[in-house]
mmCIF file with all atom_site columns, all heavy atoms in Angstrom:
data_model
loop_
_atom_site.group_PDB
_atom_site.id
_atom_site.type_symbol
_atom_site.label_atom_id
_atom_site.label_alt_id
_atom_site.label_comp_id
_atom_site.label_asym_id
_atom_site.label_entity_id
_atom_site.label_seq_id
_atom_site.pdbx_PDB_ins_code
_atom_site.Cartn_x
_atom_site.Cartn_y
_atom_site.Cartn_z
_atom_site.occupancy
_atom_site.B_iso_or_equiv
_atom_site.pdbx_formal_charge
_atom_site.auth_seq_id
_atom_site.auth_comp_id
_atom_site.auth_asym_id
_atom_site.auth_atom_id
_atom_site.pdbx_PDB_model_num
ATOM 1   N N   . GLU K 1 1  ? 13.025 2.683  17.054 1.00 93.00 ? 1  GLU K N   1
ATOM 2   C CA  . GLU K 1 1  ? 12.626 1.928  15.875 1.00 93.00 ? 1  GLU K CA  1
ATOM 3   C C   . GLU K 1 1  ? 12.296 2.942  14.773 1.00 93.00 ? 1  GLU K C   1
ATOM 4   O O   . GLU K 1 1  ? 11.922 4.090  14.995 1.00 93.00 ? 1  GLU K O   1
ATOM 5   C CB  . GLU K 1 1  ? 11.392 1.096  16.196 1.00 93.00 ? 1  GLU K CB  1
ATOM 6   C CG  . GLU K 1 1  ? 11.687 -0.142 16.992 1.00 93.00 ? 1  GLU K CG  1
ATOM 7   C CD  . GLU K 1 1  ? 10.488 -1.075 17.109 1.00 93.00 ? 1  GLU K CD  1
ATOM 8   O OE1 . GLU K 1 1  ? 9.642  -1.039 16.211 1.00 93.00 ? 1  GLU K OE1 1
ATOM 9   O OE2 . GLU K 1 1  ? 10.417 -1.838 18.051 1.00 93.00 ? 1  GLU K OE2 1
ATOM 10  N N   . THR K 1 2  ? 12.444 2.463  13.537 1.00 96.00 ? 2  THR K N   1
ATOM 11  C CA  . THR K 1 2  ? 12.217 3.316  12.375 1.00 96.00 ? 2  THR K CA  1
ATOM 12  C C   . THR K 1 2  ? 10.905 2.903  11.688 1.00 96.00 ? 2  THR K C   1
ATOM 13  O O   . THR K 1 2  ? 10.655 1.720  11.505 1.00 96.00 ? 2  THR K O   1
ATOM 14  C CB  . THR K 1 2  ? 13.377 3.232  11.393 1.00 96.00 ? 2  THR K CB  1
ATOM 15  O OG1 . THR K 1 2  ? 14.584 3.692  12.038 1.00 96.00 ? 2  THR K OG1 1
ATOM 16  C CG2 . THR K 1 2  ? 13.108 4.069  10.162 1.00 96.00 ? 2  THR K CG2 1
ATOM 17  N N   . ILE K 1 3  ? 10.111 3.876  11.306 1.00 97.00 ? 3  ILE K N   1
ATOM 18  C CA  . ILE K 1 3  ? 8.937  3.671  10.497 1.00 97.00 ? 3  ILE K CA  1
ATOM 19  C C   . ILE K 1 3  ? 9.211  4.215  9.078  1.00 97.00 ? 3  ILE K C   1
ATOM 20  O O   . ILE K 1 3  ? 9.655  5.340  8.930  1.00 97.00 ? 3  ILE K O   1
ATOM 21  C CB  . ILE K 1 3  ? 7.711  4.401  11.061 1.00 97.00 ? 3  ILE K CB  1
ATOM 22  C CG1 . ILE K 1 3  ? 7.253  3.728  12.385 1.00 97.00 ? 3  ILE K CG1 1
ATOM 23  C CG2 . ILE K 1 3  ? 6.574  4.458  10.083 1.00 97.00 ? 3  ILE K CG2 1
ATOM 24  C CD1 . ILE K 1 3  ? 6.636  2.331  12.174 1.00 97.00 ? 3  ILE K CD1 1
ATOM 25  N N   . VAL K 1 4  ? 8.934  3.394  8.067  1.00 98.00 ? 4  VAL K N   1
ATOM 26  C CA  . VAL K 1 4  ? 9.132  3.815  6.676  1.00 98.00 ? 4  VAL K CA  1
ATOM 27  C C   . VAL K 1 4  ? 7.751  4.104  6.078  1.00 98.00 ? 4  VAL K C   1
ATOM 28  O O   . VAL K 1 4  ? 6.913  3.211  5.991  1.00 98.00 ? 4  VAL K O   1
ATOM 29  C CB  . VAL K 1 4  ? 9.888  2.754  5.875  1.00 98.00 ? 4  VAL K CB  1
ATOM 30  C CG1 . VAL K 1 4  ? 10.094 3.256  4.437  1.00 98.00 ? 4  VAL K CG1 1
ATOM 31  C CG2 . VAL K 1 4  ? 11.196 2.400  6.515  1.00 98.00 ? 4  VAL K CG2 1
ATOM 32  N N   . VAL K 1 5  ? 7.563  5.335  5.653  1.00 98.00 ? 5  VAL K N   1
ATOM 33  C CA  . VAL K 1 5  ? 6.293  5.799  5.124  1.00 98.00 ? 5  VAL K CA  1
ATOM 34  C C   . VAL K 1 5  ? 6.388  5.868  3.566  1.00 98.00 ? 5  VAL K C   1
ATOM 35  O O   . VAL K 1 5  ? 7.262  6.560  3.047  1.00 98.00 ? 5  VAL K O   1
ATOM 36  C CB  . VAL K 1 5  ? 5.920  7.197  5.659  1.00 98.00 ? 5  VAL K CB  1
ATOM 37  C CG1 . VAL K 1 5  ? 4.635  7.702  4.988  1.00 98.00 ? 5  VAL K CG1 1
ATOM 38  C CG2 . VAL K 1 5  ? 5.757  7.122  7.178  1.00 98.00 ? 5  VAL K CG2 1
ATOM 39  N N   . GLY K 1 6  ? 5.555  5.116  2.873  1.00 98.00 ? 6  GLY K N   1
ATOM 40  C CA  . GLY K 1 6  ? 5.551  5.133  1.402  1.00 98.00 ? 6  GLY K CA  1
ATOM 41  C C   . GLY K 1 6  ? 4.724  6.290  0.915  1.00 98.00 ? 6  GLY K C   1
ATOM 42  O O   . GLY K 1 6  ? 3.602  6.543  1.378  1.00 98.00 ? 6  GLY K O   1
ATOM 43  N N   . TYR K 1 7  ? 5.265  7.007  -0.085 1.00 98.00 ? 7  TYR K N   1
ATOM 44  C CA  . TYR K 1 7  ? 4.548  8.159  -0.616 1.00 98.00 ? 7  TYR K CA  1
ATOM 45  C C   . TYR K 1 7  ? 4.874  8.359  -2.107 1.00 98.00 ? 7  TYR K C   1
ATOM 46  O O   . TYR K 1 7  ? 5.830  7.760  -2.631 1.00 98.00 ? 7  TYR K O   1
ATOM 47  C CB  . TYR K 1 7  ? 4.933  9.442  0.127  1.00 98.00 ? 7  TYR K CB  1
ATOM 48  C CG  . TYR K 1 7  ? 6.293  9.978  -0.264 1.00 98.00 ? 7  TYR K CG  1
ATOM 49  C CD1 . TYR K 1 7  ? 6.440  11.015 -1.175 1.00 98.00 ? 7  TYR K CD1 1
ATOM 50  C CD2 . TYR K 1 7  ? 7.456  9.424  0.303  1.00 98.00 ? 7  TYR K CD2 1
ATOM 51  C CE1 . TYR K 1 7  ? 7.691  11.508 -1.541 1.00 98.00 ? 7  TYR K CE1 1
ATOM 52  C CE2 . TYR K 1 7  ? 8.696  9.908  -0.084 1.00 98.00 ? 7  TYR K CE2 1
ATOM 53  C CZ  . TYR K 1 7  ? 8.822  10.932 -0.998 1.00 98.00 ? 7  TYR K CZ  1
ATOM 54  O OH  . TYR K 1 7  ? 10.028 11.387 -1.407 1.00 98.00 ? 7  TYR K OH  1
ATOM 55  N N   . THR K 1 8  ? 4.100  9.204  -2.766 1.00 96.00 ? 8  THR K N   1
ATOM 56  C CA  . THR K 1 8  ? 4.468  9.698  -4.103 1.00 96.00 ? 8  THR K CA  1
ATOM 57  C C   . THR K 1 8  ? 4.382  11.227 -4.016 1.00 96.00 ? 8  THR K C   1
ATOM 58  O O   . THR K 1 8  ? 3.748  11.777 -3.123 1.00 96.00 ? 8  THR K O   1
ATOM 59  C CB  . THR K 1 8  ? 3.500  9.200  -5.193 1.00 96.00 ? 8  THR K CB  1
ATOM 60  O OG1 . THR K 1 8  ? 2.161  9.664  -4.920 1.00 96.00 ? 8  THR K OG1 1
ATOM 61  C CG2 . THR K 1 8  ? 3.495  7.672  -5.274 1.00 96.00 ? 8  THR K CG2 1
ATOM 62  N N   . ILE K 1 9  ? 4.995  11.897 -4.997 1.00 94.00 ? 9  ILE K N   1
ATOM 63  C CA  . ILE K 1 9  ? 4.929  13.360 -5.023 1.00 94.00 ? 9  ILE K CA  1
ATOM 64  C C   . ILE K 1 9  ? 3.537  13.795 -5.401 1.00 94.00 ? 9  ILE K C   1
ATOM 65  O O   . ILE K 1 9  ? 3.009  13.441 -6.485 1.00 94.00 ? 9  ILE K O   1
ATOM 66  C CB  . ILE K 1 9  ? 5.949  13.942 -6.010 1.00 94.00 ? 9  ILE K CB  1
ATOM 67  C CG1 . ILE K 1 9  ? 7.404  13.596 -5.549 1.00 94.00 ? 9  ILE K CG1 1
ATOM 68  C CG2 . ILE K 1 9  ? 5.793  15.411 -6.188 1.00 94.00 ? 9  ILE K CG2 1
ATOM 69  C CD1 . ILE K 1 9  ? 7.764  14.253 -4.217 1.00 94.00 ? 9  ILE K CD1 1
ATOM 70  N N   . TYR K 1 10 ? 2.919  14.556 -4.511 1.00 90.00 ? 10 TYR K N   1
ATOM 71  C CA  . TYR K 1 10 ? 1.518  14.872 -4.679 1.00 90.00 ? 10 TYR K CA  1
ATOM 72  C C   . TYR K 1 10 ? 1.174  16.115 -3.841 1.00 90.00 ? 10 TYR K C   1
ATOM 73  O O   . TYR K 1 10 ? 0.944  16.002 -2.647 1.00 90.00 ? 10 TYR K O   1
ATOM 74  C CB  . TYR K 1 10 ? 0.690  13.646 -4.261 1.00 90.00 ? 10 TYR K CB  1
ATOM 75  C CG  . TYR K 1 10 ? -0.797 13.785 -4.109 1.00 90.00 ? 10 TYR K CG  1
ATOM 76  C CD1 . TYR K 1 10 ? -1.498 14.902 -4.551 1.00 90.00 ? 10 TYR K CD1 1
ATOM 77  C CD2 . TYR K 1 10 ? -1.551 12.763 -3.549 1.00 90.00 ? 10 TYR K CD2 1
ATOM 78  C CE1 . TYR K 1 10 ? -2.883 15.034 -4.438 1.00 90.00 ? 10 TYR K CE1 1
ATOM 79  C CE2 . TYR K 1 10 ? -2.928 12.850 -3.447 1.00 90.00 ? 10 TYR K CE2 1
ATOM 80  C CZ  . TYR K 1 10 ? -3.589 14.000 -3.880 1.00 90.00 ? 10 TYR K CZ  1
ATOM 81  O OH  . TYR K 1 10 ? -4.936 14.109 -3.752 1.00 90.00 ? 10 TYR K OH  1
ATOM 82  N N   . ASP K 1 11 ? 1.237  17.285 -4.445 1.00 92.00 ? 11 ASP K N   1
ATOM 83  C CA  . ASP K 1 11 ? 0.912  18.526 -3.764 1.00 92.00 ? 11 ASP K CA  1
ATOM 84  C C   . ASP K 1 11 ? -0.627 18.589 -3.597 1.00 92.00 ? 11 ASP K C   1
ATOM 85  O O   . ASP K 1 11 ? -1.351 18.325 -4.569 1.00 92.00 ? 11 ASP K O   1
ATOM 86  C CB  . ASP K 1 11 ? 1.378  19.673 -4.691 1.00 92.00 ? 11 ASP K CB  1
ATOM 87  C CG  . ASP K 1 11 ? 1.210  21.074 -4.085 1.00 92.00 ? 11 ASP K CG  1
ATOM 88  O OD1 . ASP K 1 11 ? 0.532  21.183 -3.076 1.00 92.00 ? 11 ASP K OD1 1
ATOM 89  O OD2 . ASP K 1 11 ? 1.753  21.990 -4.708 1.00 92.00 ? 11 ASP K OD2 1
ATOM 90  N N   . PRO K 1 12 ? -1.131 18.825 -2.387 1.00 95.00 ? 12 PRO K N   1
ATOM 91  C CA  . PRO K 1 12 ? -0.483 19.378 -1.189 1.00 95.00 ? 12 PRO K CA  1
ATOM 92  C C   . PRO K 1 12 ? -0.202 18.293 -0.140 1.00 95.00 ? 12 PRO K C   1
ATOM 93  O O   . PRO K 1 12 ? 0.014  18.642 1.013  1.00 95.00 ? 12 PRO K O   1
ATOM 94  C CB  . PRO K 1 12 ? -1.537 20.311 -0.676 1.00 95.00 ? 12 PRO K CB  1
ATOM 95  C CG  . PRO K 1 12 ? -2.849 19.599 -0.966 1.00 95.00 ? 12 PRO K CG  1
ATOM 96  C CD  . PRO K 1 12 ? -2.614 18.893 -2.266 1.00 95.00 ? 12 PRO K CD  1
ATOM 97  N N   . MET K 1 13 ? -0.186 17.034 -0.499 1.00 96.00 ? 13 MET K N   1
ATOM 98  C CA  . MET K 1 13 ? -0.022 15.953 0.482  1.00 96.00 ? 13 MET K CA  1
ATOM 99  C C   . MET K 1 13 ? 1.425  15.655 0.792  1.00 96.00 ? 13 MET K C   1
ATOM 100 O O   . MET K 1 13 ? 1.866  15.661 1.958  1.00 96.00 ? 13 MET K O   1
ATOM 101 C CB  . MET K 1 13 ? -0.737 14.694 0.027  1.00 96.00 ? 13 MET K CB  1
ATOM 102 C CG  . MET K 1 13 ? -2.181 14.910 -0.496 1.00 96.00 ? 13 MET K CG  1
ATOM 103 S SD  . MET K 1 13 ? -3.218 15.920 0.612  1.00 96.00 ? 13 MET K SD  1
ATOM 104 C CE  . MET K 1 13 ? -3.570 14.758 1.898  1.00 96.00 ? 13 MET K CE  1
ATOM 105 N N   . ASN K 1 14 ? 2.229  15.391 -0.217 1.00 97.00 ? 14 ASN K N   1
ATOM 106 C CA  . ASN K 1 14 ? 3.677  15.146 -0.102 1.00 97.00 ? 14 ASN K CA  1
ATOM 107 C C   . ASN K 1 14 ? 4.379  15.762 -1.291 1.00 97.00 ? 14 ASN K C   1
ATOM 108 O O   . ASN K 1 14 ? 4.177  15.295 -2.418 1.00 97.00 ? 14 ASN K O   1
ATOM 109 C CB  . ASN K 1 14 ? 4.004  13.675 -0.030 1.00 97.00 ? 14 ASN K CB  1
ATOM 110 C CG  . ASN K 1 14 ? 3.172  12.866 0.934  1.00 97.00 ? 14 ASN K CG  1
ATOM 111 O OD1 . ASN K 1 14 ? 2.031  12.513 0.654  1.00 97.00 ? 14 ASN K OD1 1
ATOM 112 N ND2 . ASN K 1 14 ? 3.711  12.577 2.098  1.00 97.00 ? 14 ASN K ND2 1
ATOM 113 N N   . TYR K 1 15 ? 5.213  16.767 -1.066 1.00 96.00 ? 15 TYR K N   1
ATOM 114 C CA  . TYR K 1 15 ? 5.907  17.389 -2.195 1.00 96.00 ? 15 TYR K CA  1
ATOM 115 C C   . TYR K 1 15 ? 7.155  18.106 -1.706 1.00 96.00 ? 15 TYR K C   1
ATOM 116 O O   . TYR K 1 15 ? 7.362  18.243 -0.502 1.00 96.00 ? 15 TYR K O   1
ATOM 117 C CB  . TYR K 1 15 ? 4.986  18.344 -2.982 1.00 96.00 ? 15 TYR K CB  1
ATOM 118 C CG  . TYR K 1 15 ? 4.472  19.525 -2.185 1.00 96.00 ? 15 TYR K CG  1
ATOM 119 C CD1 . TYR K 1 15 ? 5.081  20.790 -2.359 1.00 96.00 ? 15 TYR K CD1 1
ATOM 120 C CD2 . TYR K 1 15 ? 3.443  19.398 -1.283 1.00 96.00 ? 15 TYR K CD2 1
ATOM 121 C CE1 . TYR K 1 15 ? 4.623  21.909 -1.625 1.00 96.00 ? 15 TYR K CE1 1
ATOM 122 C CE2 . TYR K 1 15 ? 2.977  20.529 -0.547 1.00 96.00 ? 15 TYR K CE2 1
ATOM 123 C CZ  . TYR K 1 15 ? 3.588  21.752 -0.749 1.00 96.00 ? 15 TYR K CZ  1
ATOM 124 O OH  . TYR K 1 15 ? 3.144  22.826 -0.034 1.00 96.00 ? 15 TYR K OH  1
ATOM 125 N N   . LEU K 1 16 ? 8.006  18.529 -2.676 1.00 96.00 ? 16 LEU K N   1
ATOM 126 C CA  . LEU K 1 16 ? 9.281  19.151 -2.325 1.00 96.00 ? 16 LEU K CA  1
ATOM 127 C C   . LEU K 1 16 ? 9.145  20.679 -2.372 1.00 96.00 ? 16 LEU K C   1
ATOM 128 O O   . LEU K 1 16 ? 8.554  21.234 -3.319 1.00 96.00 ? 16 LEU K O   1
ATOM 129 C CB  . LEU K 1 16 ? 10.352 18.679 -3.298 1.00 96.00 ? 16 LEU K CB  1
ATOM 130 C CG  . LEU K 1 16 ? 10.595 17.166 -3.362 1.00 96.00 ? 16 LEU K CG  1
ATOM 131 C CD1 . LEU K 1 16 ? 11.638 16.871 -4.447 1.00 96.00 ? 16 LEU K CD1 1
ATOM 132 C CD2 . LEU K 1 16 ? 11.003 16.604 -2.017 1.00 96.00 ? 16 LEU K CD2 1
ATOM 133 N N   . ASP K 1 17 ? 9.692  21.336 -1.359 1.00 96.00 ? 17 ASP K N   1
ATOM 134 C CA  . ASP K 1 17 ? 9.699  22.793 -1.373 1.00 96.00 ? 17 ASP K CA  1
ATOM 135 C C   . ASP K 1 17 ? 10.883 23.289 -2.218 1.00 96.00 ? 17 ASP K C   1
ATOM 136 O O   . ASP K 1 17 ? 11.601 22.500 -2.838 1.00 96.00 ? 17 ASP K O   1
ATOM 137 C CB  . ASP K 1 17 ? 9.725  23.357 0.053  1.00 96.00 ? 17 ASP K CB  1
ATOM 138 C CG  . ASP K 1 17 ? 10.999 23.051 0.797  1.00 96.00 ? 17 ASP K CG  1
ATOM 139 O OD1 . ASP K 1 17 ? 11.983 22.557 0.189  1.00 96.00 ? 17 ASP K OD1 1
ATOM 140 O OD2 . ASP K 1 17 ? 11.050 23.293 2.040  1.00 96.00 ? 17 ASP K OD2 1
ATOM 141 N N   . GLU K 1 18 ? 11.070 24.626 -2.232 1.00 95.00 ? 18 GLU K N   1
ATOM 142 C CA  . GLU K 1 18 ? 12.114 25.204 -3.074 1.00 95.00 ? 18 GLU K CA  1
ATOM 143 C C   . GLU K 1 18 ? 13.530 24.759 -2.639 1.00 95.00 ? 18 GLU K C   1
ATOM 144 O O   . GLU K 1 18 ? 14.488 24.884 -3.431 1.00 95.00 ? 18 GLU K O   1
ATOM 145 C CB  . GLU K 1 18 ? 12.028 26.718 -3.037 1.00 95.00 ? 18 GLU K CB  1
ATOM 146 C CG  . GLU K 1 18 ? 12.227 27.372 -1.676 1.00 95.00 ? 18 GLU K CG  1
ATOM 147 C CD  . GLU K 1 18 ? 10.904 27.436 -0.875 1.00 95.00 ? 18 GLU K CD  1
ATOM 148 O OE1 . GLU K 1 18 ? 9.925  26.832 -1.287 1.00 95.00 ? 18 GLU K OE1 1
ATOM 149 O OE2 . GLU K 1 18 ? 10.885 28.120 0.202  1.00 95.00 ? 18 GLU K OE2 1
ATOM 150 N N   . ASN K 1 19 ? 13.655 24.223 -1.453 1.00 96.00 ? 19 ASN K N   1
ATOM 151 C CA  . ASN K 1 19 ? 14.964 23.756 -0.976 1.00 96.00 ? 19 ASN K CA  1
ATOM 152 C C   . ASN K 1 19 ? 15.149 22.253 -1.136 1.00 96.00 ? 19 ASN K C   1
ATOM 153 O O   . ASN K 1 19 ? 16.139 21.671 -0.677 1.00 96.00 ? 19 ASN K O   1
ATOM 154 C CB  . ASN K 1 19 ? 15.156 24.143 0.463  1.00 96.00 ? 19 ASN K CB  1
ATOM 155 C CG  . ASN K 1 19 ? 15.143 25.639 0.711  1.00 96.00 ? 19 ASN K CG  1
ATOM 156 O OD1 . ASN K 1 19 ? 15.775 26.382 -0.031 1.00 96.00 ? 19 ASN K OD1 1
ATOM 157 N ND2 . ASN K 1 19 ? 14.394 26.089 1.719  1.00 96.00 ? 19 ASN K ND2 1
ATOM 158 N N   . GLY K 1 20 ? 14.138 21.616 -1.764 1.00 96.00 ? 20 GLY K N   1
ATOM 159 C CA  . GLY K 1 20 ? 14.205 20.174 -1.942 1.00 96.00 ? 20 GLY K CA  1
ATOM 160 C C   . GLY K 1 20 ? 13.810 19.375 -0.736 1.00 96.00 ? 20 GLY K C   1
ATOM 161 O O   . GLY K 1 20 ? 13.999 18.155 -0.711 1.00 96.00 ? 20 GLY K O   1
ATOM 162 N N   . GLU K 1 21 ? 13.186 20.037 0.242  1.00 97.00 ? 21 GLU K N   1
ATOM 163 C CA  . GLU K 1 21 ? 12.763 19.322 1.454  1.00 97.00 ? 21 GLU K CA  1
ATOM 164 C C   . GLU K 1 21 ? 11.338 18.806 1.262  1.00 97.00 ? 21 GLU K C   1
ATOM 165 O O   . GLU K 1 21 ? 10.480 19.512 0.771  1.00 97.00 ? 21 GLU K O   1
ATOM 166 C CB  . GLU K 1 21 ? 12.828 20.293 2.625  1.00 97.00 ? 21 GLU K CB  1
ATOM 167 C CG  . GLU K 1 21 ? 12.406 19.624 3.965  1.00 97.00 ? 21 GLU K CG  1
ATOM 168 C CD  . GLU K 1 21 ? 12.427 20.607 5.148  1.00 97.00 ? 21 GLU K CD  1
ATOM 169 O OE1 . GLU K 1 21 ? 12.927 21.741 4.969  1.00 97.00 ? 21 GLU K OE1 1
ATOM 170 O OE2 . GLU K 1 21 ? 11.961 20.229 6.214  1.00 97.00 ? 21 GLU K OE2 1
ATOM 171 N N   . LEU K 1 22 ? 11.073 17.592 1.721  1.00 98.00 ? 22 LEU K N   1
ATOM 172 C CA  . LEU K 1 22 ? 9.732  17.024 1.614  1.00 98.00 ? 22 LEU K CA  1
ATOM 173 C C   . LEU K 1 22 ? 8.817  17.669 2.663  1.00 98.00 ? 22 LEU K C   1
ATOM 174 O O   . LEU K 1 22 ? 9.081  17.644 3.863  1.00 98.00 ? 22 LEU K O   1
ATOM 175 C CB  . LEU K 1 22 ? 9.820  15.502 1.834  1.00 98.00 ? 22 LEU K CB  1
ATOM 176 C CG  . LEU K 1 22 ? 8.480  14.778 1.602  1.00 98.00 ? 22 LEU K CG  1
ATOM 177 C CD1 . LEU K 1 22 ? 8.088  14.784 0.150  1.00 98.00 ? 22 LEU K CD1 1
ATOM 178 C CD2 . LEU K 1 22 ? 8.606  13.297 2.064  1.00 98.00 ? 22 LEU K CD2 1
ATOM 179 N N   . ILE K 1 23 ? 7.731  18.225 2.149  1.00 98.00 ? 23 ILE K N   1
ATOM 180 C CA  . ILE K 1 23 ? 6.750  18.853 3.008  1.00 98.00 ? 23 ILE K CA  1
ATOM 181 C C   . ILE K 1 23 ? 5.349  18.374 2.573  1.00 98.00 ? 23 ILE K C   1
ATOM 182 O O   . ILE K 1 23 ? 5.221  17.506 1.713  1.00 98.00 ? 23 ILE K O   1
ATOM 183 C CB  . ILE K 1 23 ? 6.811  20.405 2.954  1.00 98.00 ? 23 ILE K CB  1
ATOM 184 C CG1 . ILE K 1 23 ? 6.553  20.889 1.520  1.00 98.00 ? 23 ILE K CG1 1
ATOM 185 C CG2 . ILE K 1 23 ? 8.145  20.884 3.493  1.00 98.00 ? 23 ILE K CG2 1
ATOM 186 C CD1 . ILE K 1 23 ? 6.442  22.410 1.435  1.00 98.00 ? 23 ILE K CD1 1
ATOM 187 N N   . GLY K 1 24 ? 4.297  18.951 3.115  1.00 98.00 ? 24 GLY K N   1
ATOM 188 C CA  . GLY K 1 24 ? 2.956  18.619 2.725  1.00 98.00 ? 24 GLY K CA  1
ATOM 189 C C   . GLY K 1 24 ? 2.089  18.210 3.936  1.00 98.00 ? 24 GLY K C   1
ATOM 190 O O   . GLY K 1 24 ? 2.623  17.906 5.026  1.00 98.00 ? 24 GLY K O   1
ATOM 191 N N   . TYR K 1 25 ? 0.806  18.172 3.707  1.00 98.00 ? 25 TYR K N   1
ATOM 192 C CA  . TYR K 1 25 ? -0.128 17.834 4.796  1.00 98.00 ? 25 TYR K CA  1
ATOM 193 C C   . TYR K 1 25 ? 0.124  16.424 5.314  1.00 98.00 ? 25 TYR K C   1
ATOM 194 O O   . TYR K 1 25 ? 0.253  16.203 6.511  1.00 98.00 ? 25 TYR K O   1
ATOM 195 C CB  . TYR K 1 25 ? -1.583 17.965 4.309  1.00 98.00 ? 25 TYR K CB  1
ATOM 196 C CG  . TYR K 1 25 ? -2.592 17.658 5.380  1.00 98.00 ? 25 TYR K CG  1
ATOM 197 C CD1 . TYR K 1 25 ? -2.864 18.589 6.373  1.00 98.00 ? 25 TYR K CD1 1
ATOM 198 C CD2 . TYR K 1 25 ? -3.260 16.454 5.402  1.00 98.00 ? 25 TYR K CD2 1
ATOM 199 C CE1 . TYR K 1 25 ? -3.778 18.350 7.389  1.00 98.00 ? 25 TYR K CE1 1
ATOM 200 C CE2 . TYR K 1 25 ? -4.219 16.176 6.414  1.00 98.00 ? 25 TYR K CE2 1
ATOM 201 C CZ  . TYR K 1 25 ? -4.462 17.126 7.382  1.00 98.00 ? 25 TYR K CZ  1
ATOM 202 O OH  . TYR K 1 25 ? -5.364 16.855 8.378  1.00 98.00 ? 25 TYR K OH  1
ATOM 203 N N   . ASP K 1 26 ? 0.184  15.460 4.389  1.00 98.00 ? 26 ASP K N   1
ATOM 204 C CA  . ASP K 1 26 ? 0.448  14.076 4.849  1.00 98.00 ? 26 ASP K CA  1
ATOM 205 C C   . ASP K 1 26 ? 1.808  13.936 5.478  1.00 98.00 ? 26 ASP K C   1
ATOM 206 O O   . ASP K 1 26 ? 1.992  13.222 6.481  1.00 98.00 ? 26 ASP K O   1
ATOM 207 C CB  . ASP K 1 26 ? 0.330  13.108 3.641  1.00 98.00 ? 26 ASP K CB  1
ATOM 208 C CG  . ASP K 1 26 ? -1.093 12.717 3.365  1.00 98.00 ? 26 ASP K CG  1
ATOM 209 O OD1 . ASP K 1 26 ? -2.004 13.132 4.106  1.00 98.00 ? 26 ASP K OD1 1
ATOM 210 O OD2 . ASP K 1 26 ? -1.336 11.978 2.377  1.00 98.00 ? 26 ASP K OD2 1
ATOM 211 N N   . THR K 1 27 ? 2.829  14.630 4.903  1.00 98.00 ? 27 THR K N   1
ATOM 212 C CA  . THR K 1 27 ? 4.178  14.546 5.428  1.00 98.00 ? 27 THR K CA  1
ATOM 213 C C   . THR K 1 27 ? 4.249  15.003 6.879  1.00 98.00 ? 27 THR K C   1
ATOM 214 O O   . THR K 1 27 ? 4.766  14.311 7.770  1.00 98.00 ? 27 THR K O   1
ATOM 215 C CB  . THR K 1 27 ? 5.137  15.402 4.596  1.00 98.00 ? 27 THR K CB  1
ATOM 216 O OG1 . THR K 1 27 ? 5.078  14.979 3.234  1.00 98.00 ? 27 THR K OG1 1
ATOM 217 C CG2 . THR K 1 27 ? 6.574  15.273 5.097  1.00 98.00 ? 27 THR K CG2 1
#
């Protein structure tokens, strides 16, 4: 089953690294 997690861009919780990959504490 798939879980869809809603987020906004918010460093350091959910943000994109230099390669465009979503990272962060919440992620």
Side-chain angles (χ1 to χ4, degrees):
E1 286 189 24
T2 298
I3 289 292
V4 182
V5 176
Y7 77 98
T8 62
I9 295 296
Y10 172 9
D11 185 348
M13 312 312 285
N14 310 81
Y15 63 102
L16 303 177
D17 66 10
E18 60 275 10
N19 299 315
E21 181 181 352
L22 186 67
I23 60 173
Y25 182 76
D26 276 357
T27 303

